[in-house]
Amino acid sequence: MLKNICIIGTGQLGSRHLQALKHVAEPLNIYVYDNSEVSLKLAQQRWEEMETENKILHNVIYERNIDDKKLDFE
């Protein structure tokens, strides 16, 4: 079963957290939220630039609006 990860805010720190997740050795669903299109594009660019030795494919979803999403934190 895929684990779900949510990053809210993709400025300097959030985009670096996203980069770190690329090294996780199991597939993840990563939900990335920021109301700034510029910040989301920066996070996506940093994600794509990352090279890693593991070949795990993570599912990354970039969204600007979190209002209609239901998040469940366990």
Side-chain angles (χ1 to χ4, degrees):
M1 179 190 317
L2 291 177
K3 291 187 179 177
N4 296 312
I5 304 292
C6 181
I7 297 176
I8 301 173
T10 58
Q12 295 298 319
L13 189 58
S15 63
R16 299 302 182 185
H17 286 300
L18 178 62
Q19 283 181 309
L21 289 172
K22 197 158 193 176
H23 295 286
V24 174
E26 62 183 271
L28 301 171
N29 286 322
I30 305 170
Y31 298 89
V32 182
Y33 295 98
D34 199 301
N35 61 359
S36 167
E37 187 69 32
V38 173
S39 292
L40 282 175
K41 287 190 183 294
L42 176 64
Q44 186 173 12
Q45 177 184 1
R46 288 182 174 169
W47 174 265
E48 292 169 359
E49 289 173 353
M50 287 292 300
E51 292 186 20
T52 179
E53 291 182 13
N54 74 40
K55 300 299 178 196
I56 303 297
L57 294 177
H58 301 298
N59 185 28
V60 183
I61 299 100
Y62 300 91
E63 294 280 340
R64 286 191 61 199
N65 192 351
I66 196 170
D67 293 338
D68 60 345
K69 308 296 187 273
K70 181 177 179 183
L71 301 175
D72 184 17
F73 296 97
E74 295 181 22

